[in-house]
Amino acid sequence: MTDVRPGAGRTPSRAVEQALVDAAERVLVRDGLGAVTVRAVATEAGVAPMGVYNRFGSKDGLIAAVLVRGFDGLRGAVTADDDADPLARLLASGRNYRLFALDRPQHYGAMFGGRPLPTEGADELVAAATAAFEALVGHVRYAMARGALRDGDPVEAAQVIWSSVHGAVSLELGGAVLTPDPSATYETLLRMLLAGLA
Amino acid sequence: MTDVRPGAGRTPSRAVEQALVDAAERVLVRDGLGAVTVRAVATEAGVAPMGVYNRFGSKDGLIAAVLVRGFDGLRGAVTADDDADPLARLLASGRNYRLFALDRPQHYGAMFGGRPLPTEGADELVAAATAAFEALVGHVRYAMARGALRDGDPVEAAQVIWSSVHGAVSLELGGAVLTPDPSATYETLLRMLLAGLA
């Protein structure tokens, strides 16, 4: 366990917060979103529950901090490959989206599982989620500007792409891909998207 | 409340079962999937809990019966329009898929929410879900045979279509469509799908 007791005195406040979010992520991955409570995270981090309340206000604030980290990671995955070729960039972005979800299914489920998002810490959460979506919009604009996708509303095209990859990833995580090779079917989906938007 | 007490003696067994599934659907729509318990459904239907256990074996069996009805309804929605024009048929099917989900969000969430499906009554459930998917595969075959979609694996093409519409519908139900008119964006998605698979 990381020692993040406020009483230790020498750990800067930001580092304590990060250690608590680390602990919350471990609980999420190990036991699921329902298990992410102030008490469980305090135990995981080796601090008193009040140490969590003081920093995050509530369980919702704690979950929001975990989701912010999730959306930051997703934005990173979507922007990791900045190939100059616009279609190669979109393909890489789409592949990385899937890999992010397969690598962090509990995070993905918490981010997009359809449960109401926490209201505590909501501003930072909305900003992080918006930044991840904007990364995709940026790729679409880049492709439209170079004629690789036909001209149109980049936000709508990005929404259509996101819908499709989100659906594919959700079905795969739920074990509902009925073709023998989900990875190949996902590749077919990405190429269908680019052809349909070209 | 419908009187489905087994003691009433004159209600045929199948009708009693249907009345219990009716009651379970009312609980699902009103209170969510988590509220669909043997006790709650028995109360809703005005029978003793044993009357539910005797017919469905468990809460899982009861939920499976509700989901079977959901998949039957989805199959009906997807096949409702059998326009002779293959692309018109696929478009109608896609539109009806969305309308089904918007009309019955609790059913849709229970069918595709990523929770493990019940094992009790699983055979009938898998059959109903497969039949709904096969209805889409049938539309794809029909379109491929007429050259409206390019030749290929109809199951893979159906999976790609299903991924996309499922993703769009899930994001819409979750309030995560970032364009001003979800219906118009869904229409764009359907036309993108058909263009990408043509």
Side-chain angles (χ1 to χ4, degrees):
Chain A
M1 270 184 223
T2 317
D3 181 358
V4 293
R5 285 168 296 181
R10 273 167 306 181
T11 320
S13 173
R14 184 73 187 160
V16 174
E17 266 186 40
Q18 292 306 311
L20 288 173
V21 180
D22 290 344
E25 287 192 298
R26 289 196 299 275
V27 173
L28 171 67
V29 169
R30 189 179 63 222
D31 304 320
L33 183 60
V36 180
T37 61
V38 168
R39 181 169 298 272
V41 172
T43 302
E44 176 74 21
V47 303
M50 196 48 73
V52 179
Y53 280 118
N54 284 344
R55 285 187 167 78
F56 295 99
S58 67
K59 181 178 88 164
D60 268 11
L62 186 60
I63 290 176
V66 171
L67 296 182
V68 164
R69 201 182 269 187
F71 282 110
D72 286 348
L74 182 61
R75 179 176 48 76
V78 167
T79 53
D81 190 318
D82 61 351
D83 199 303
D85 177 71
L87 294 186
R89 186 184 291 197
L90 279 164
L91 282 173
S93 172
R95 289 179 194 127
N96 287 337
Y97 186 97
R98 171 171 175 264
L99 295 179
F100 173 88
L102 297 185
D103 189 48
R104 278 178 267 188
Q106 294 89 353
H107 286 76
Y108 194 84
M111 289 155 69
F112 298 117
R115 292 170 214 81
L117 290 177
T119 48
E120 182 107 35
D123 287 353
E124 207 190 338
L125 181 53
V126 168
T130 304
F133 182 69
E134 284 297 331
L136 173 57
V137 175
H139 290 337
V140 170
R141 279 187 215 282
Y142 182 83
M144 284 180 174
R146 279 149 192 83
L149 296 185
R150 72 171 172 277
D151 228 15
D153 177 357
V155 173
E156 184 170 68
Q159 178 78 45
V160 163
I161 293 171
W162 179 32
S163 293
S164 300
V165 294
H166 168 64
V169 158
S170 299
L171 292 180
E172 185 168 359
L173 290 178
V177 174
L178 307 177
T179 49
D181 182 350
S183 173
T185 299
Y186 188 81
E187 194 70 19
T188 299
L189 178 133
L190 292 180
R191 293 184 182 279
M192 176 278 298
L193 279 169
L194 298 186
L197 294 166
Chain B
M1 271 186 223
T2 318
D3 181 357
V4 293
R5 284 167 296 179
R10 273 168 305 183
T11 319
S13 173
R14 183 75 186 155
V16 174
E17 265 186 40
Q18 293 305 311
L20 289 173
V21 180
D22 289 344
E25 284 192 300
R26 289 196 298 275
V27 173
L28 171 66
V29 169
R30 190 180 61 222
D31 304 321
L33 182 61
V36 180
T37 61
V38 169
R39 180 168 300 272
V41 172
T43 301
E44 177 73 22
V47 303
M50 197 49 72
V52 180
Y53 280 117
N54 285 344
R55 284 186 167 80
F56 296 99
S58 67
K59 182 178 88 165
D60 267 11
L62 186 62
I63 290 175
V66 171
L67 296 183
V68 164
R69 201 181 268 185
F71 281 110
D72 286 349
L74 183 60
R75 180 176 47 75
V78 166
T79 54
D81 190 317
D82 59 353
D83 200 303
D85 178 70
L87 294 186
R89 186 184 291 196
L90 279 164
L91 281 173
S93 172
R95 288 179 194 126
N96 287 337
Y97 186 98
R98 172 171 175 263
L99 295 179
F100 173 89
L102 296 185
D103 190 48
R104 279 179 268 187
Q106 294 88 353
H107 286 76
Y108 194 83
M111 290 155 69
F112 298 116
R115 292 171 213 81
L117 291 177
T119 49
E120 182 107 35
D123 287 354
E124 207 190 338
L125 181 54
V126 168
T130 304
F133 182 68
E134 284 297 331
L136 173 58
V137 175
H139 292 336
V140 171
R141 279 188 215 282
Y142 182 83
M144 284 180 175
R146 280 148 193 83
L149 296 186
R150 73 171 173 278
D151 228 15
D153 176 358
V155 173
E156 185 170 66
Q159 178 79 45
V160 162
I161 293 171
W162 179 32
S163 293
S164 299
V165 295
H166 169 64
V169 158
S170 299
L171 292 180
E172 184 168 358
L173 290 178
V177 174
L178 306 178
T179 50
D181 183 349
S183 174
T185 299
Y186 189 80
E187 195 69 20
T188 300
L189 177 133
L190 292 180
R191 293 185 182 279
M192 177 278 298
L193 279 170
L194 299 185
L197 294 167

